[in-house]
Amino acid sequence: MFLILIAVSLSGCLTALTGEQNSAAEAEDIAGVLEIYELNVFIPTVKGAEKVVDSGTYFVSNTPATKVVLFVNNQNEISLLRDSGLLSFDAPVFEHIYFITAENTENTENTEDFSATPEGIKALIENPVLTDVSYTLKDAKNSPTLKLEENFTGVLVYTFIPQSGGTSVLINDKADAVQVILPEGMTTGNRIIGKASPNPDSAETDGEGRNVLKWNNPIGNISVKYYSEKAPLYLIIAFSALIAAIALVYLWYRYQIKKLHKITELIDDETSGFRKQN
């Protein structure tokens, strides 16, 4: 077990338990926000066509922090991720909460006047601006929800830091479509070490070499346990070392038994079966 724990530690599976939290300064403009967040809005493909829904993109990391890019359409209550770990006695931490919409390019009074379509989202990504939205965070521990003073259509970004830590993420904010982007060098799918549940609709590698898992229309919560791509190799080495150690102990035991039998044969009276008296 000690060897297995060492292997898991080396593989990166325990890194999140001691990782530092995101401590980036609060941004004052969209450029500062884009230094913290990658503006990636997930548009699922349903029956061969792109469909804009309330979707979430979740950037997990080697620390407990998860960066969330959530597209919402005409909402005044937005559910956030919940901490469901056994050690989550306190409320999770929510950092860097920003609301982003498309820049007004038609000189109209409504900055948020863009359509919730693939074209509208493309315009938002190409010309994003911060917008002031008054909100209240309610029930942060059990069911964290942002209550807005008015309906909002656009992108909400925030950082979720669970109290329980770990190298897994549970998507439980009721997003209609989900994509999880793992850090470079991390993967999932091994039944022993960890996998995604339910199975994603698709899995691919992006231009930065990161594994991307996508669910177009998930039913219920999504759980992803991720680990270093080298973790299976480390576990094989650990198990091999454990088996070798067991084999050595067994051979040593057999050697001692045979040695004891030889000593017994030398001192036993073969005729009577009683030990010889010196």
Side-chain angles (χ1 to χ4, degrees), residues 3 17 20 25 39 49 52-53 60 78 110 123 171 178 182-183 200 215 224 233 253 264-265 271:
L3 291 173
L17 299 178
E20 295 182 0
L39 194 54
V52 176
V53 297
V60 298
I78 304 173
N110 189 359
I171 311 301
V178 168
L182 304 180
W215 291 261
V224 180
L233 174 61
Y253 168 78
T264 303
E265 290 174 356
T271 303

Side-chain angles (χ1 to χ4, degrees), residues 66-228:
T66 298
K67 293 180 180 179
V68 181
V69 178
L70 197 64
F71 177 77
V72 294
N73 183 19
N74 198 31
Q75 300 282 346
N76 64 2
E77 287 192 5
I78 304 173
S79 296
L80 307 182
L81 292 180
R82 303 190 306 275
D83 192 348
S84 59
L86 296 176
L87 302 179
S88 55
F89 301 110
D90 299 321
V93 176
F94 300 95
E95 292 184 341
H96 314 307
I97 300 176
Y98 301 106
F99 295 86
I100 302 173
T101 187
E103 182 179 4
N104 185 351
T105 58
E106 298 181 358
N107 297 321
T108 61
E109 293 182 359
N110 189 359
T111 308
E112 301 177 8
D113 186 18
F114 73 96
S115 59
T117 62
E119 293 74 20
I121 291 179
K122 181 180 179 181
L124 184 149
I125 293 175
E126 291 178 349
N127 299 288
V129 292
L130 286 178
T131 182
D132 291 328
V133 176
S134 298
Y135 66 86
T136 302
L137 176 60
K138 292 186 174 182
D139 199 8
K141 180 172 176 13
N142 299 314
S143 183
T145 304
L146 290 184
K147 176 66 176 178
L148 314 183
E149 292 188 356
E150 57 185 11
N151 285 12
F152 171 74
T153 297
V155 173
L156 163 69
V157 296
Y158 68 93
T159 297
F160 168 71
I161 305 176
Q163 295 294 332
S164 56
T167 50
S168 63
V169 61
L170 179 66
I171 311 301
N172 51 21
D173 58 2
K174 303 177 183 178
D176 294 328
V178 168
Q179 71 171 345
V180 175
I181 300 179
L182 304 180
E184 186 177 358
M186 305 295 282
T187 188
T188 187
N190 187 294
R191 293 188 177 184
I192 297 176
I193 306 176
K195 62 177 185 176
S197 178
N199 292 328
D201 295 315
S202 64
E204 57 190 48
T205 302
D206 66 8
E208 298 183 18
R210 301 174 300 187
N211 289 313
V212 181
L213 312 176
K214 297 182 178 182
W215 291 261
N216 295 330
N217 185 25
I219 299 176
N221 298 333
I222 292 173
S223 174
V224 180
K225 173 68 177 179
Y226 52 97
Y227 48 85
S228 168

